Amino acid sequence: MSLVYLEYDFKINPLQPATDILIAELGELGFESFVENETGLLAYILKSEWRDDVLEDLFVFQNPNFEISWTSKEIEQQNWNAEWEKNFHPIIVDDKCMVRAPFHEAVEVDYDIVIEPKMSFGTGHHETTHMMLQHILDHDFDGKSVLDMGCGTGVLAILAKKRGAGDTEAIDIDEWCFLNTQENVERNDCSDIKAFQGDSSLLNDKKFDVILANINRNILLEDIPVYVDCLKKGGTLFLSGFYLEDLDAISSKCGAYGLEFEKNLEKNSWVAAKYVN
């Protein structure tokens, strides 16, 4: 007997970071599968797991910067893998790095990364991840200790390791991301990357040459002092997950804690910036 699911069709404006926040929150409520599209997100939950108040009190709905509406309908069980494969295409960054799923054919590039993202953020398709990968390709990681904060799939940590990084840690507050990172580091022969579930409170007394943090404006502003405290002398901090209009606020906060802005990349109004001490 086939299982009955409810499909929620969320219309989201602007798409990011609201989509990522919504996925994280829905995952905690029992939603099993997600498909991102041009207007927002399709989310699926077993009808037997659904309740009347399932969407009440979601944080993302309280944010005045996001406009989110939705409809729902019953559907029969689908082949989720086929649906996911249909919507996930490989990307190539600067002709040097390919991010692909296991079912995609490899091509000749310097760095071939195989990611199975499940419910985690970080396939390289989003502008912020793409630009952070560009920063990594342009930076010397040889022997450097690295932190990937808000790691999602672990793709940034994996590329840093493939670029010669030494001790590397990856941290995400979301359990799906933590577990997915563990799987992906194994899949890419980077099993010496240490993955942890948690937030910046895990960083007590740790020191890194390079910190990569692709999260969002508010968390970055809150945690920049922690990152600076964890950065070795002569270290580098890469930040993304915010818009161009937020760059001054991010740079001001970094400057207040002794970091110097070096450069930034911009794509579709998203920014990935580099700071040094």
Side-chain angles (χ1 to χ4, degrees):
M1 181 171 139
S2 74
L3 300 173
V4 177
Y5 278 79
L6 293 177
E7 176 189 83
Y8 277 78
D9 185 354
F10 292 97
K11 305 299 183 188
I12 304 170
N13 183 43
L15 287 175
Q16 294 295 347
T19 300
D20 301 323
I21 298 170
L22 183 58
I23 288 175
E25 291 199 87
L26 292 177
E28 303 221 351
L29 296 176
F31 283 77
E32 295 182 6
S33 300
F34 304 93
V35 178
E36 295 183 49
N37 55 37
E38 292 180 355
T39 60
L41 179 74
L42 299 178
Y44 300 89
I45 186 171
L46 269 173
K47 187 176 181 182
S48 59
E49 298 291 323
W50 179 85
R51 61 185 193 277
D52 286 339
D53 63 347
V54 69
L55 296 182
E56 284 186 9
D57 301 324
L58 285 184
F59 166 78
V60 70
F61 293 160
Q62 317 305 319
N63 192 316
N65 297 314
F66 305 143
E67 295 178 11
I68 303 177
S69 61
W70 68 89
T71 56
S72 64
K73 65 181 180 182
E74 284 190 14
I75 59 168
E76 296 296 308
Q77 186 176 23
Q78 296 186 31
N79 182 337
W80 302 119
N81 281 340
E83 189 69 18
W84 178 75
E85 291 179 15
K86 185 173 68 178
N87 288 277
F88 179 34
H89 306 287
I91 66 157
I92 296 180
V93 181
D94 293 350
D95 296 323
K96 296 178 182 177
C97 173
M98 182 179 194
V99 182
R100 62 183 177 91
F103 51 82
H104 293 137
E105 270 191 49
V107 298
E108 191 64 35
V109 289
D110 294 337
Y111 307 103
D112 180 34
I113 300 177
V114 181
I115 293 293
E116 200 154 355
K118 296 188 176 177
M119 289 178 8
S120 305
F121 171 60
T123 60
H125 291 77
H126 192 269
E127 290 90 341
T128 59
T129 313
H130 193 282
M131 289 185 293
M132 290 291 274
L133 292 170
Q134 288 181 293
H135 273 307
I136 294 171
L137 289 170
D138 193 45
H139 189 73
D140 177 16
F141 279 85
D142 194 24
K144 303 286 179 62
S145 55
V146 175
L147 168 66
D148 180 0
M149 194 71 203
C151 56
T153 60
V155 65
L156 301 183
I158 291 167
L159 181 57
K161 177 60 75 169
K162 288 179 177 289
R163 293 270 297 144
D167 293 337
T168 302
E169 296 187 11
I171 297 175
D172 203 292
I173 197 168
D174 185 85
E175 183 181 17
W176 280 93
C177 296
F178 160 65
L179 295 173
N180 192 216
T181 292
Q182 287 186 314
E183 294 173 2
N184 287 324
V185 298
E186 292 284 347
R187 184 176 284 112
N188 289 275
D189 298 321
C190 296
S191 56
D192 53 341
I193 294 174
K194 298 175 183 175
F196 302 94
Q197 182 182 355
D199 56 20
S200 61
S201 64
L202 297 179
L203 298 179
N204 290 339
D205 302 322
K206 294 187 176 184
K207 295 289 183 181
F208 301 92
D209 294 303
V210 180
I211 296 177
L212 308 160
N214 181 17
I215 309 179
N216 65 55
R217 174 190 184 276
N218 292 338
I219 293 178
L220 292 177
L221 287 172
E222 182 179 337
D223 285 349
I224 281 170
V226 182
Y227 302 153
V228 173
D229 193 49
C230 294
L231 205 58
K232 294 181 182 178
K233 185 62 180 173
T236 306
L237 175 65
F238 293 98
L239 300 177
S240 194
F242 56 92
Y243 292 106
L244 182 61
E245 64 198 46
D246 300 316
L247 180 59
D248 286 346
I250 296 289
S251 295
S252 178
K253 189 66 174 277
C254 286
Y257 285 85
L259 294 185
E260 180 181 344
F261 171 81
E262 186 165 295
K263 67 176 182 177
N264 71 274
L265 301 176
E266 181 189 344
K267 190 173 184 182
N268 296 331
S269 296
W270 290 95
V271 169
K274 178 181 181 180
Y275 301 89
V276 295
N277 67 7

